């Protein structure tokens, strides 16, 4: 620990860290870029690799740029902000390639990996700020994110990847928490009230929702907070309280209450309107979401007489954006509130050929097929953990002739492809940069049934 040595960085790893070799041992160096020569300082020793930080940069990369955020390298969400954007886009295609090489699904060396689709302006895109709230030793209220692999909170007063409206509302909330002397959560003692504040903006309508995640229901300054927040920001049309009294690192509790305004805000994507409740999932980048869904629809190439199933449907954003091109859309999700939102969103947009049920895809898909439903096309958009094994078996058993996989994690995608390529050929993988300045990568996979 603490040893220093010169190191040439060969490439970036899947989490955006520089990778080099010291005496044939793999070294991961946070903040280092390919082709740079650094003096690395060892911060961790494992049997098969070392972790290190940059003690001194000897030869910088021509792709190194100055980050806009002082927090870059401290907290998540900025880990590639020191890398020029064209190089970020190439890295994200390479992340897919690295994952394929690790798991080696059938025919992976022949897959067409299309260039990553990026943004014209890769800043100001995040529609949700989900910040921890803590009180500093000097008494000031802080709102931000934890440092990597720690519980030390970094107070984020600015954040260039957030939509400006999320940060403006967040800083007002922080000031009001301080002025009204609201009880703030203490993690060590598991005492105090306000744990987390979530601010979400609908880019299509400019409506804002604020959620106070609290360690208990009693909120004495609630009336003053609501009045002053809505006076300062008339765009805040929904104020909610979510109660999480557990000793846990999870953000959300089970119970959510309306404090003021309406329980949902309305977003517009592809000229479709979507009502979003507090816990409803929506991609963090509404601008690239439109691009992502367009790529999925292009890959499915639906005809008007075909039925499509939208697994992991959430509030219906994917399925409803495809309804105009299909005979029938069916979607499912395990979160009942999301299914209710999806049904409401179908009605909101006068879409009559889309239905949604609560349950897992691996349960509902065979049930629908047994009832005589004809499955022509399938789109899956699973969480970072990838597809459930039972769902993969259901897909291979039902054999939809058209199949598209939207992935937010190249590693679990490559793992799932090992099984899926038993019956499907990968036509291409189109990476889409949903989260510029980070190592995260989304991808659309087009399959052809063998």
């Amino acid at each position: 620990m603490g040893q220093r040595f010169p190191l040439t960085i060969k490439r970036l790893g899947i989490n955006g860290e520089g990778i080099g070799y010291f005496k044939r041992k793999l070294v991961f160096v946070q903040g280092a870029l390919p082709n740079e020569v650094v003096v690395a300082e060892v911060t961790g020793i494992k049997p098969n690799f070392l972790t290190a930080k940059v003690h001194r940069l000897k030869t910088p990369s021509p792709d190194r740029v100055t980050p806009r955020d002082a927090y870059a390298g401290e907290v998540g969400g900025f880990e590639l902000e020191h890398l020029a954007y064209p190089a970020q886009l190439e890295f994200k295609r390479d992340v897919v390639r690295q994952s394929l090489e690790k798991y080696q699904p059938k025919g992976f060396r022949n897959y067409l990996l299309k260039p990553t689709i990026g943004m014209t302006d890769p800043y100001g895109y995040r529609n949700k700020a989900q910040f921890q709230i803590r009180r500093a030793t000097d008494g000031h209220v802080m709102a931000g994110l934890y440092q990597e692999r720690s519980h030390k909170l970094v107070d984020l007063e600015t954040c260039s990847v957030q939509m400006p409206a999320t940060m403006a509302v967040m800083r007002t909330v922080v000031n009001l928490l301080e002025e009204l002397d609201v009880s703030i959560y203490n993690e060590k003692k598991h005492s105090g009230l306000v744990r987390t504040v979530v601010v979400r903006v609908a880019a299509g309508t400019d409506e804002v929702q604020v959620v106070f995640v609290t360690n208990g229901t009693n909120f004495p300054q609630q009336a003053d907070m609501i009045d002053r927040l809505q006076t300062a920001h008339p765009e805040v049309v929904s104020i909610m309280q979510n109660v999480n009294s557990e000793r846990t690192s999870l953000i959300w509790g089970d119970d959510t209450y309306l404090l003021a305004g309406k329980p949902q805000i309305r977003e517009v994507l592809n000229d479709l309107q979507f009502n979003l409740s507090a816990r409803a999932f929506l991609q963090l980048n509404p601008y690239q979401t439109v691009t992502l869904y367009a790529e999925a629809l292009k890959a499915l190439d639906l005809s008007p007489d075909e039925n499509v199933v939208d697994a992991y449907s959430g509030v219906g954003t994917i399925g409803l954006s495809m309804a105009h091109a299909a005979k029938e859309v069916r979607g499912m999700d395990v979160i009942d509130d999301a299914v209710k939102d999806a049904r409401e969103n179908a009605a909101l947009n006068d879409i009559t050929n889309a239905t949604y049920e609560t349950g897992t895809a691996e349960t509902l898909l065979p049930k629908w097929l047994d009832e005589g439903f004809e499955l022509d096309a399938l789109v899956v958009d699973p969480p970072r953990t990838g597809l459930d094994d039972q769902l993969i078996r259901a897909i291979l058993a039902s054999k939809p002739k058209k199949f598209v996989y939207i992935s937010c994690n190249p590693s679990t995608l490559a793992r799932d492809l090992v099984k899926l390529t038993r019956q499907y050929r990968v036509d291409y993988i189109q990476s889409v940069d949903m989260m510029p300045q980070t190592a995260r990568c989304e991808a659309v996979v087009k399959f052809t049934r063998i």
Side-chain angles (χ1 to χ4, degrees):
M1 295 287 284
Q3 182 181 346
R4 296 170 184 168
F5 47 81
L7 189 72
T8 300
I9 305 301
K10 300 295 185 182
R11 58 188 173 90
L12 289 180
I14 60 173
N15 296 311
E17 67 279 79
I19 294 179
Y21 295 87
F22 177 68
K23 296 184 177 178
R24 298 186 179 179
K25 203 173 190 75
L26 200 62
V27 187
F28 294 97
V29 187
Q30 198 68 41
L33 297 176
N35 303 315
E36 289 189 330
V37 179
V38 304
V39 175
E41 181 176 323
V42 176
T43 57
I45 302 170
K46 302 292 182 183
N48 299 319
F49 64 90
L50 305 174
T51 58
K53 63 181 181 181
V54 177
H55 172 70
R56 185 161 55 88
L57 185 60
K58 294 181 73 174
T59 307
S61 164
D63 292 320
R64 179 175 284 275
V65 296
T66 302
R68 291 190 185 183
D69 294 281
Y71 325 104
E74 277 195 80
V75 299
F78 308 94
E79 55 266 26
L80 289 184
E81 205 176 5
H82 61 303
L83 180 62
Y85 193 55
Q88 288 186 35
L89 297 180
E90 181 50 43
F91 159 72
K92 295 191 178 191
R93 180 163 64 164
D94 189 59
V95 164
V96 176
R97 185 182 295 112
Q98 287 185 51
S99 298
L100 294 172
E101 288 173 352
K102 178 180 177 182
Y103 288 94
Q104 301 193 352
K106 188 166 71 175
F108 75 97
R109 288 190 176 87
N110 298 320
Y111 293 175
L112 171 60
L113 304 183
K114 294 190 173 186
T116 307
I117 299 173
M119 298 184 72
T120 304
D121 179 10
Y123 291 95
Y125 63 85
R126 290 183 72 118
N127 58 13
K128 184 164 75 170
Q130 192 165 275
F131 287 178
Q132 304 299 317
I133 307 296
R134 299 292 183 267
R135 196 177 289 278
T137 52
D138 64 2
H140 286 298
V141 175
M142 302 187 298
L145 302 172
Y146 291 124
Q147 278 186 359
E148 296 276 1
R149 291 177 290 278
S150 84
H151 267 234
K152 182 181 178 183
L153 194 72
V154 177
D155 192 16
L156 298 184
E157 294 189 11
T158 62
C159 182
S160 68
V161 295
Q162 288 285 159
M163 288 184 180
T166 66
M167 294 305 294
V169 172
M170 182 66 77
R171 296 321 300 179
T172 296
V173 168
V174 168
N175 291 336
L176 290 175
L177 289 171
E178 202 166 292
E179 290 172 20
L180 296 172
D181 197 25
V182 175
S183 172
I184 303 299
Y185 184 65
N186 184 305
E187 190 175 24
K188 288 182 179 177
K189 297 179 181 178
H190 189 54
S191 63
L193 183 66
V194 178
R195 301 171 67 134
T196 307
V197 170
V198 183
V199 179
R200 175 147 68 177
V201 176
T205 62
D206 294 326
E207 291 185 345
V208 178
Q209 181 181 68
V210 176
V211 184
F212 294 91
V213 182
T214 58
N215 180 37
T217 54
N218 189 30
F219 194 161
Q221 300 91 340
Q222 174 185 317
D224 283 344
M225 173 64 74
I226 290 169
D227 180 58
R228 293 175 65 172
L229 180 55
Q230 290 185 320
T231 299
H233 296 281
E235 66 273 20
V236 176
V237 298
S238 172
I239 302 177
M240 311 290 291
Q241 181 180 6
N242 175 267
V243 179
N244 182 358
S245 301
E246 301 295 321
R247 277 188 179 269
T248 176
S249 58
L250 298 176
I251 299 293
W252 297 95
D254 293 332
D255 299 317
T256 306
Y257 306 97
L258 176 66
L259 298 184
K262 54 185 185 175
Q264 300 159 312
I265 57 173
R266 184 168 294 183
E267 181 59 285
V268 180
L269 298 170
N270 282 326
D271 297 324
L272 296 176
Q273 300 182 73
F274 295 96
N275 284 338
L276 304 173
S277 53
R279 296 190 62 184
F281 172 77
L282 183 71
Q283 297 279 0
L284 284 170
N285 186 337
Y287 313 111
Q288 287 289 78
T289 296
V290 173
T291 300
L292 185 73
Y293 293 173
E295 287 298 320
L297 184 60
K298 182 171 73 175
L300 274 181
D301 190 26
L302 294 170
S303 61
D305 60 343
E306 290 179 323
N307 298 324
V308 59
V309 166
D310 173 14
Y312 307 95
S313 58
V315 298
T317 48
I318 296 175
L320 295 177
S321 69
M322 296 179 171
H324 71 281
K327 178 182 177 183
E328 182 182 353
V329 173
R330 291 196 183 187
M332 71 281 281
D333 201 283
V334 294
I335 299 174
D336 194 48
D337 280 352
V339 172
K340 289 175 183 174
D341 282 351
R343 291 171 178 163
E344 190 176 300
N345 289 330
L348 183 64
N349 292 284
D350 297 321
I351 294 173
T352 57
N353 64 334
T355 57
Y356 292 89
E357 285 189 44
T358 303
T360 63
E362 53 270 23
T363 302
L364 288 174
L365 193 55
K367 171 179 168 282
W368 291 343
L369 295 175
D370 288 343
E371 293 169 350
F373 176 74
E374 292 185 12
L375 174 62
D376 299 302
L378 174 69
V379 58
V380 297
D381 183 14
R384 289 186 60 78
T385 50
L387 296 178
D388 183 274
D389 279 341
Q390 286 182 277
L391 177 55
I392 291 178
R393 286 195 288 272
I395 292 169
L396 297 179
S398 57
K399 301 177 184 176
K401 67 176 184 286
K402 294 183 176 182
F403 178 26
V404 165
Y405 187 145
I406 301 174
S407 167
C408 62
N409 185 341
S411 291
T412 54
L413 168 64
R415 180 203 67 198
D416 291 344
L417 287 178
V418 173
K419 294 177 181 177
L420 294 171
T421 50
R422 293 170 188 167
Q423 292 187 11
Y424 286 91
R425 182 181 71 245
V426 173
D427 294 339
Y428 63 77
I429 301 179
Q430 174 65 71
S431 45
V432 179
D433 188 16
M434 298 291 289
M435 296 182 69
Q437 319 310 330
T438 79
R440 294 285 185 90
C441 176
E442 301 257 344
V444 175
V445 186
K446 176 177 169 57
F447 295 98
T448 296
R449 193 172 64 194
I450 297 173

